[in-house]
């Protein structure tokens, strides 16, 4: 690693890539309008555009992010997904009804009417995750595809077994799309190359992501968790264990390479090492990091790594899981078309001048028009900053990149058996809204200073935090936790039902929900009664999903002749291990042609 007078050269970054100066914290803000030359030329090369066309496309992308940050909270919560459409230059919002379509148009977005809402997609995604469990041979990716309004599963056909086919049969019952490829991504390890890597001990090199400081001013950089898996390992700036930088995974608590993510921290403790915001773009002018952001589908993003150097591409999926084999499953990664190679691990991903991710894995070689099996994956960087309470180091840049301060006096103003009311603080930057979290799960958003979280269980302890959000999309650190307990319930019955009629159509699925506010565990066995009017009971498959997304089959399809179903049938469900509270879902699937029917009502005794 090159050093001048004991200090890192600005162009040597990625071996402390994108390490910068400045106070900007865990912001989730749109990219800046002033696009670095390296980004413009990288995007132009990746997508076959002229420099002028690339600039215009990136300006449209900026506007899409700004619009996304300013959408009404209710509309955002109801949307089935959003993405930047480079062909139209617009933010596209997936909505399920005409009123929300009108609201999206009024806000300046392009609506797309879809049949499946966010809750439906999330429920199917949870069910797929439950089916995958600890891994299925050949199945290397699964998650929501917002542009196609579906959940997709990616399979490497060269690794399929009988177990894979059994899994795929059950996944098809959930209505997911199966994509088969001839390859699959791998978690990339490094080989030694000249440039700006860092070395974990005597191992092969990785790349550095983004610099950050802790509350005491200590210096660190973020990188991949699979590069920092050894506790208290020396980190070097040159091969052969030379030019020590500091220590990775101090105390064994600063590295994750599991379902939670792929992220780690190296403490920069040796004298002579300074942090710079200038990203090494390998021959292009350096890019100065000005903040952090969340990538959306359709974004043009670039990354810097020791092996593939400076490469750009398009975000195809967000929050998609990957199985690298050997029991290593990582959830909620971002998948892109950009090229990457071994040795890029841990390097920084950028949206304009905003840090968005840490490189995780990719193909064995770069290809044009990559399939799911040839994509490059990254860990969202804001999650890593929040996990270890670190502040991103940045440099000078245009735009509003200052996050609001953490709400300081959040408190509970009242409770019922199923709801909690909260008040948040005002902020000196100009807050556009507040996001309330139940533990780590988003609970509700509001444009005012008060909010009510509903759908809770009686006589149950909860811990809420609040984050402030400004008009530019910058998000504050979390407030202090507000601990509160809901009021006791009235002890009502444990049989719940949904009497809404749902039409059953050929080759389609019906989902009928029941939301329970009961406490304690569900009964096991659990009793379910289903009333259906249908011309061919043999064409129907019926299953129950618990609040955690586990699916219990009640009735399989199959049979040579059709018999009518008219009236109630009762099922006993053994082996239920779910709490009673939450959303339960009955799913009815029609597997045959030429028949009609209605799900009349159903109930379950918890």
């Amino acid at each position: 690693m090159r050093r001048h007078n004991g200090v890192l050269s600005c162009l040597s970054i990625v071996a402390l890539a994108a390490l910068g100066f400045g106070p900007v914290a865990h912001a989730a803000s749109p990219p800046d309008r002033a696009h670095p030359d390296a980004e413009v030329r990288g995007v132009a090369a990746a997508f076959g555009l002229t420099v002028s066309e690339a600039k215009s496309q990136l300006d449209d992308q900026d506007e899409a992010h700004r619009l996304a940050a300013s959408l009404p909270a209710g509309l955002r919560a109801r949307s089935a997904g959003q993405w930047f459409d480079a062909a139209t230059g617009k933010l596209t919002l997936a909505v399920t009804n005409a009123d929300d379509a009108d609201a999206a148009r009024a806000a300046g977005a392009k609506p797309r009417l879809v049949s499946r809402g966010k809750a439906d997609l999330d429920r199917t995604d949870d069910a797929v995750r439950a089916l995958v469990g600890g891994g299925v041979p050949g199945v290397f990716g699964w998650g929501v595809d917002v542009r196609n309004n579906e959940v997709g599963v990616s399979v490497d056909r060269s690794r399929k077994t009988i177990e894979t086919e059994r899994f795929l049969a059950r996944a098809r019952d959930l209505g997911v799309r199966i994509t088969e490829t001839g390859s699959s991504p791998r978690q990339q390890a490094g080989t030694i190359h000249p440039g700006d890597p860092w070395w974990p001990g005597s191992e092969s090199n990785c790349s550095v992501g983004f610099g950050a400081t802790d509350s005491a001013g200590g210096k660190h950089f973020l990188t991949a968790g699979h590069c920092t898996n050894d506790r208290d390992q020396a980190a070097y700036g040159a091969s052969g264990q030379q030019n020590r930088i500091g220590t990775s995974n101090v105390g064994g608590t600063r590295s994750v390479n599991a379902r939670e993510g792929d992220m780690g921290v190296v403490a920069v403790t040796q004298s002579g090492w300074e942090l710079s915001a200038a990203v090494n773009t390998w021959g292009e002018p350096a890019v100065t990091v000005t903040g952090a952001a969340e990538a959306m589908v359709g974004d043009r993003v670039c990354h810097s790594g020791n092996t593939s150097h400076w490469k750009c591409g398009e975000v195809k999926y967000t929050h998609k899981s990957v199985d690298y084999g050997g029991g290593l499953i990582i959830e909620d990664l971002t998948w892109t078309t950009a090229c990457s190679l071994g040795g890029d691990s841990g390097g920084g991903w950028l949206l304009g001048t905003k840090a968005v991710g840490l490189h995780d894995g990719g193909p064995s070689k770069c290809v044009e028009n990559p399939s799911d099996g040839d994509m490059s994956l990254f860990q969202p960087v804001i999650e890593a900053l929040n996990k270890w309470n670190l502040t991103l180091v940045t440099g000078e840049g245009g735009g509003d990149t200052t996050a609001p301060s953490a709400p300081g006096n959040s408190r509970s103003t009242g409770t019922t058996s199923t709801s909690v009311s909260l008040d948040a603080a005002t902020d000196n930057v100009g807050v556009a809204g507040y996001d309330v979290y139940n533990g780590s799960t988003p609970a509700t958003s509001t444009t005012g200073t008060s909010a009510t979280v509903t759908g809770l269980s009686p006589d149950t302890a909860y811990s809420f935090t609040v984050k402030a959000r400004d008009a530019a999309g910058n998000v504050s650190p979390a407030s202090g936790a507000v601990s509160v307990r809901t009021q006791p319930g009235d002890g009502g019955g444990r049989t719940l039902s949904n009497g809404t009629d749902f039409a059953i159509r050929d080759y389609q699925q019906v989902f009928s929900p029941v939301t329970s506010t009961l406490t304690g565990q569900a009964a096991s066995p659990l009793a379910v009664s289903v009333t259906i009017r249908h011309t061919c009971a043999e064409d129907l498959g019926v299953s129950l999903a618990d609040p955690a997304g586990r699916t219990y089959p009640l009735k399989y399809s199959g049979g040579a002749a059709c018999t009518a179903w008219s009236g109630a049938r009762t099922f006993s469900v053994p082996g239920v291990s779910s709490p009673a509270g939450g959303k339960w879902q009955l799913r009815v699937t029609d597997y045959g042609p030429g028949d009609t029917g209605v799900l009349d009502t159903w109930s379950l005794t918890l």
Side-chain angles (χ1 to χ4, degrees):
M1 184 175 295
R2 297 187 299 272
R3 290 197 293 173
H4 294 176
N5 298 322
V7 179
L8 274 177
S9 161
C10 284
L11 290 180
S12 75
I13 300 313
V14 168
L16 293 174
L19 306 183
F21 303 97
V24 177
H26 317 164
S29 54
D32 294 328
R33 247 189 214 287
H35 290 280
D37 290 344
E39 180 196 19
V40 173
R41 286 198 278 265
V43 168
F47 296 97
L49 305 174
T50 66
V51 168
S52 177
E53 289 170 338
K55 285 181 178 178
S56 178
Q57 194 173 94
L58 290 169
D59 285 344
D60 289 341
Q61 178 175 290
D62 288 351
E63 189 56 38
H65 273 263
R66 266 181 265 282
L67 177 57
S70 65
L71 288 174
L75 180 60
R76 284 204 316 273
R78 293 190 300 274
S79 167
Q82 63 186 25
W83 62 93
F84 169 62
D85 185 346
T88 63
K90 296 284 188 180
L91 173 72
T92 302
L93 204 66
V95 294
T96 58
N97 59 73
D99 288 343
D100 281 348
D102 290 341
R105 288 190 195 95
K110 176 185 175 183
R112 179 180 292 179
L113 278 170
V114 297
S115 59
R116 307 184 73 181
K118 182 179 185 301
D120 191 0
L121 292 170
D122 288 346
R123 183 168 50 250
T124 303
D125 188 32
D126 288 344
V128 171
R129 293 184 188 211
L131 281 179
V132 170
V136 177
V139 177
F140 66 85
W142 55 94
V144 174
D145 182 348
V146 295
R147 284 191 281 205
N148 290 313
N149 192 231
E150 61 188 358
V151 174
V153 172
S154 304
V155 184
D156 184 344
R157 66 175 69 90
S158 67
R159 294 164 49 202
K160 287 170 63 175
T161 66
I162 294 175
E163 182 183 350
T164 314
E165 296 296 353
R166 285 197 294 263
F167 164 84
L168 293 178
R170 298 181 69 186
R172 289 187 182 99
D173 284 346
L174 296 172
V176 306
R177 174 180 51 83
I178 309 297
T179 300
E180 294 198 6
T181 69
S183 59
S184 52
R186 59 187 185 132
Q187 198 164 53
Q188 292 164 328
T191 55
I192 296 176
H193 292 274
D196 301 313
W198 76 277
W199 278 261
S202 60
E203 300 173 29
S204 55
N205 67 268
C206 287
S207 297
V208 176
F210 298 101
T213 57
D214 58 30
S215 58
K219 294 181 289 188
H220 310 268
F221 67 77
L222 292 165
T223 186
H226 68 270
C227 296
T228 56
N229 54 332
D230 292 338
R231 173 177 177 168
D232 297 322
Q233 187 175 37
Y236 297 98
S239 62
Q241 302 181 55
Q242 300 181 65
N243 294 347
R244 182 166 179 175
I245 300 170
T247 304
S248 71
N249 191 12
V250 174
T253 61
R254 297 212 154 194
S255 180
V256 174
N257 187 33
R259 284 186 180 269
E260 182 184 355
D262 182 16
M263 49 192 167
V265 180
V266 174
V268 180
T269 57
Q270 300 302 109
S271 61
W273 293 101
E274 298 295 336
L275 307 182
S276 169
V279 180
N280 182 0
T281 55
W282 305 89
E284 295 285 352
V287 174
T288 300
V289 178
T290 61
E294 293 281 359
M296 76 165 75
V297 170
D299 275 343
R300 277 59 182 133
V301 291
C302 302
H303 76 101
S304 184
N306 177 64
T307 310
S308 67
H309 295 172
W310 180 249
K311 299 294 182 182
C312 302
E314 178 183 359
V315 173
K316 298 295 286 188
Y317 313 106
T318 58
H319 304 291
K320 183 170 180 174
S321 303
V322 66
D323 186 344
Y324 287 121
L328 177 58
I329 294 174
I330 303 176
E331 297 178 341
D332 295 325
L333 296 178
T334 301
W335 295 46
T336 81
T337 62
C339 163
S340 67
L341 296 169
D344 291 337
S345 292
W349 284 79
L350 296 161
L351 176 67
T353 62
K354 299 293 169 57
V356 290
L358 306 167
H359 187 70
D360 168 61
S364 57
K365 62 180 180 180
C366 295
V367 298
E368 293 185 6
N369 302 316
S371 68
D372 285 3
D374 303 309
M375 290 192 182
S376 296
L377 288 60
F378 69 77
Q379 158 72 46
V381 72
I382 290 176
E383 181 182 0
L385 290 165
N386 288 337
K387 178 176 180 61
W388 288 295
N389 195 27
L390 298 173
T391 298
L392 183 70
V393 217
T394 63
E396 294 295 329
D400 175 12
T401 61
T402 302
S405 58
N409 60 352
S410 298
R411 60 191 179 92
S412 170
T413 58
T415 63
T416 70
S417 61
T418 59
S419 68
V420 171
S421 296
L422 301 163
D423 254 0
T426 55
D427 182 80
N428 61 346
V429 177
V431 169
Y434 295 91
D435 299 318
V436 180
Y437 291 79
N438 178 2
S440 61
T441 303
T444 189
S445 297
T446 178
T447 56
T449 58
S450 61
T452 299
V453 181
T454 59
L456 305 176
S457 298
D459 196 24
T460 301
Y462 291 93
S463 179
F464 298 98
T465 55
V466 181
K467 295 182 181 180
R469 177 175 20 87
D470 67 20
N474 301 306
V475 177
S476 77
S479 69
V482 178
S483 298
V484 64
R485 192 175 194 91
T486 50
Q487 298 293 322
D490 58 9
R494 298 184 71 86
T495 298
L496 307 174
S497 64
N498 188 331
T500 304
D501 288 352
F502 291 88
I504 302 172
R505 299 183 175 89
D506 289 346
Y507 300 112
Q508 294 189 23
Q509 291 182 325
V510 168
F511 295 90
S512 180
V514 164
T515 299
S516 166
T517 58
L518 298 171
T519 58
Q521 290 292 114
S524 185
L526 184 150
V528 180
S529 177
V530 182
T531 301
I532 285 178
R533 302 191 304 274
H534 198 270
T535 55
C536 185
E538 283 70 27
D539 280 357
L540 300 182
V542 183
S543 59
L544 177 72
D546 69 17
R550 289 182 290 268
T551 302
Y552 307 91
L554 306 182
K555 175 193 177 299
Y556 293 99
S557 64
C562 283
T563 58
W565 180 343
S566 60
R569 297 189 184 185
T570 301
F571 305 91
S572 179
V573 186
V576 177
S577 59
S578 172
K583 181 178 287 186
W584 295 78
Q585 192 89 354
L586 187 78
R587 184 183 76 229
V588 181
T589 306
D590 189 321
Y591 293 95
D595 44 46
T596 59
V598 174
L599 169 61
D600 190 5
T601 186
W602 73 284
S603 65
L604 73 165
T605 301
L606 295 169

